[in-house]
Amino acid sequence: FRARANAWVYAHRLELCVFTLALLVRLLIISLAPAKEITTYWLGADGGDYVNQAQNMLDGRGFSRSESEPYLPDALHTPLYPAMLAATRILFGSFIPIIVIESFLSSLLPVLGILMARLFVQRRSVLTALGIFLALEPHLIFNTIFFATEGISVILITWGTYELLALGKTERSRHAILAGIAFGLATLARPITTYLPLFLLPLFLYQGYIVSRTRPLLKAFGIFLCMFALLITPWLVRNYIVFDSISMSSASWFNVYTRLATTVRAIDTGDDFYTSYHTSLDDLARKGYITHPPPVEEEEIQHPSFAPVLRQESLRILGEHPKALALYLLITPFTLLTQSNALGYYSSIYPL
């Protein structure tokens, strides 16, 4: 056994080294943070909601982010991360260890990166450089050491992507099963991958019928789809029963209206985002769509029943500002790559 273990360690020494490096860096950052930040800033933008959902589940109040009665069922968020928080509280008596758990899981990202690259590249220097970069990349660390779904979803999406790439290379059903599990769990963490099968189907058809002219990939896609559907269907059923809506989340048109349409109008009018945001809420109140005058809690318009109204109003605003929409589409990719909030996050927690 010792000989086999030593042989395995030697064969995977690169992966073990970059995993250890990534984990040590994350644990170091966590250890240097002031203790008070663990329960305040480290909650992130939505961390308080996830903690409330986890505590309400533990207290038998269902999946709700309400802090007091009535505990209204939540349609915006998906259940995986709050469930992980609840499990952490049961096991350790606190929600805080989730940060360490996330750090451990996110340390697998450089390992998955190496595994993906190895499907196409064999040069050890390239694999080593990639592993070190992914272990130290600030934004990946930023997204995986506080109370947020981004860290878990990044890990799961990366794992699923590796399995899909491996499936394309080997056509083994095992990779289809694991890819379905990974992306199903990723969708339960963040619903951004809900429609992934629709994008993958043309690729599988192209690869299966035109490139390889064999059927294993199409069979594999069916396996992937079954595993994916098996994991997300219970949540779809829950939302249908509770909200009469077959969807993973009510976030789609809510985000289009309060983020996209609001930003497009701000670009055209020259207002800042928050002025435009309150204008959007004023519009809903003026037209009688919301019951409370602004400022209004976002939770009111996050109910699935508001989706038709938000869709109508979003399309109206976007149609009224076509040039601003085009400018927004040009600006967004640039700002995504150049204006990370990671630096502001680190400097606020670790002032120099």
Side-chain angles (χ1 to χ4, degrees), residues 115 119 159-160 162-164 166-168 170-182 216 219-221 223-224 227:
L115 293 177
L119 295 172
W159 174 32
Y162 163 71
E163 297 296 346
L164 286 178
L167 174 62
T170 65
E171 298 186 353
R172 293 178 181 173
S173 298
R174 174 174 66 91
H175 294 298
I177 295 172
L178 294 176
I181 293 173
K219 175 184 176 183
F221 179 77
I223 295 173
F224 163 80
M227 295 305 302

Side-chain angles (χ1 to χ4, degrees), residues 9-84:
V9 169
Y10 182 79
H12 297 88
R13 60 192 183 281
L14 175 58
E15 292 91 332
L16 292 171
C17 286
V18 297
F19 171 82
T20 302
L21 173 63
L23 182 60
L24 289 176
V25 169
R26 286 155 174 77
L27 293 180
L28 176 63
I29 292 174
I30 292 172
S31 67
L32 292 176
K36 65 182 180 64
E37 302 292 356
I38 297 289
T39 55
T40 55
Y41 196 93
W42 277 40
L43 287 176
D46 297 322
D49 287 343
Y50 301 134
V51 170
N52 289 341
Q53 289 163 340
Q55 190 60 56
N56 285 334
M57 285 193 290
L58 291 173
D59 294 339
R61 299 168 183 150
F63 191 77
S64 170
R65 65 178 187 275
S66 302
E67 295 183 1
S68 60
E69 294 183 351
Y71 294 97
L72 301 175
D74 184 23
L76 184 70
H77 297 111
T78 41
L80 182 62
Y81 192 72
M84 291 178 62

